[in-house]
């Protein structure tokens, strides 16, 4: 039976039950739990430092009204990083390679920012659809273009995350397959290919973290426009 390179992106099942729920639950189990001791462990201290630095950098340009989103976006950031990094381990499944899951992350948060903008400052929110000083003849066209660009934002968020992770996993599998095939034929070339695979894996670790950060950063920018 021929195995396709895209089979790795299919949700695994056990007795007909999708295991994507287990893949989504595992990161929360691995997070360190707060303790009642006076001094925290090194892992808890590192986690607290990371969350503080992240929230300061993301929410510094946002008004105080948007700081209520700090816990939500910080949790989403850590969750996405954990999913992306766990998906790089052998014999694991990466839920964030599924466009439907990423849309489920992007659409509710984007819609919440739009609703907040319409409720708190409707004039300012609708003002984004028409730049100041637009010629009269271009007003209908620009309103249509800006409306389309507004509604395409969650799709762009989800597609960006899905495409980057999918491309990285495919490259790793292609190069690993090439190194395995070349090993008995040309060992020197296979070793060079394996070195390239190691460098690509390190790059994918960075991409996994960067893409999670970009997802949350763009969501904070959408929030900043409407708060």
């Amino acid at each position: 039976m021929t195995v396709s390179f895209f089979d790795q992106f299919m949700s695994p099942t056990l007795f007909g039950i999708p295991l994507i729920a287990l893949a989504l639950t595992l990161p929360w189990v691995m997070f360190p739990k707060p303790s009642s001791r006076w001094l925290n462990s090194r892992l808890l201290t590192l986690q607290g430092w990371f969350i503080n630095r992240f929230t300061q950098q993301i929410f510094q340009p946002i008004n105080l009204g948007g700081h209520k989103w700090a816990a939500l976006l910080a949790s989403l950031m850590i969750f996405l990083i954990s999913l992306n990094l766990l998906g790089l381990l052998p014999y694991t499944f990466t839920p964030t390679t599924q466009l439907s899951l990423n849309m489920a992350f992007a659409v509710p948060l984007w819609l919440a920012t739009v609703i907040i903008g319409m409720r708190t400052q409707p004039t300012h929110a609708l003002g984004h659809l028409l730049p100041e000083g637009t010629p009269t003849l271009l007003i209908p066209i620009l309103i249509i273009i800006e409306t389309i660009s507004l509604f395409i934002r969650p799709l762009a968020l989800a597609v960006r995350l899905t495409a980057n992770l999918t491309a990285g996993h495919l490259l790793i599998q292609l190069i690993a397959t090439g190194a395995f095939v070349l090993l008995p034929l040309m060992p020197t070339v296979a070793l060079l290919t394996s070195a390239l695979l190691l460098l690509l894996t390190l790059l994918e670790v960075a991409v996994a973290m960067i893409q999670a950060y970009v997802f949350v950063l763009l969501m904070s920018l959408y929030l900043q426009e409407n708060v």
Side-chain angles (χ1 to χ4, degrees):
M1 183 179 65
T2 304
V3 179
S4 172
F5 284 141
F6 290 92
D7 287 346
Q8 61 176 317
F9 304 115
M10 296 175 60
S11 178
T13 57
L14 180 64
F15 303 117
I17 302 174
L19 297 182
I20 188 172
L22 179 62
L24 291 173
T25 308
L26 185 59
W28 298 109
V29 179
M30 299 179 63
F31 293 153
K33 304 297 187 296
S35 64
S36 57
R37 299 179 179 179
W38 286 4
L39 294 177
N40 292 325
S41 63
R42 291 183 177 89
L43 186 58
L44 273 175
T45 304
L46 180 62
Q47 177 181 285
W49 176 85
F50 172 77
I51 293 175
N52 288 334
R53 294 294 300 174
F54 169 74
T55 52
Q56 288 177 7
Q57 184 175 4
I58 292 292
F59 290 93
Q60 188 174 4
I62 300 178
N63 295 334
L64 291 177
H67 290 187
K68 300 175 183 177
W69 288 59
L72 175 62
L73 293 185
S75 301
L76 179 62
M77 168 80 171
I78 297 175
F79 185 55
L80 289 178
I81 288 180
S82 303
L83 287 179
N84 295 345
L85 292 180
L86 287 175
L88 293 174
L89 297 176
Y91 301 105
T92 57
F93 172 67
T94 313
T96 44
T97 56
Q98 306 295 312
L99 182 61
S100 57
L101 178 68
N102 295 333
M103 288 291 290
F105 285 142
V107 172
L109 295 175
W110 165 81
L111 187 59
T113 60
V114 173
I115 293 175
I116 288 175
M118 292 295 183
R119 287 186 58 187
T120 57
Q121 42 186 5
T123 304
H124 181 71
L126 293 175
H128 290 295
L129 301 179
L130 185 63
E132 188 177 356
T134 304
T136 307
L137 294 176
L138 295 179
I139 287 178
I141 300 176
L142 278 180
I143 290 178
I144 295 174
I145 293 175
E146 291 296 331
T147 303
I148 294 174
S149 68
L150 175 65
F151 281 95
I152 210 172
R153 282 178 173 181
L155 180 62
L157 280 176
V159 169
R160 181 186 294 106
L161 182 59
T162 303
N164 281 281
L165 294 180
T166 302
H169 283 65
L170 283 176
L171 277 175
I172 289 177
Q173 186 171 3
L174 285 170
I175 296 177
T177 304
F180 182 76
V181 171
L182 290 173
L183 185 59
L185 303 176
M186 292 180 286
T188 305
V189 179
L191 289 176
L192 293 176
T193 307
S194 301
L196 178 62
L197 178 62
L198 177 60
L199 295 177
L200 181 61
T201 304
L202 296 177
L203 177 63
E204 281 305 309
V205 171
V207 168
M209 294 186 288
I210 290 171
Q211 288 304 317
Y213 176 75
V214 168
F215 187 95
V216 177
L217 176 63
L218 291 176
M219 192 60 67
S220 70
L221 293 178
Y222 300 157
L223 177 65
Q224 184 180 354
E225 289 183 359
N226 294 283
V227 174

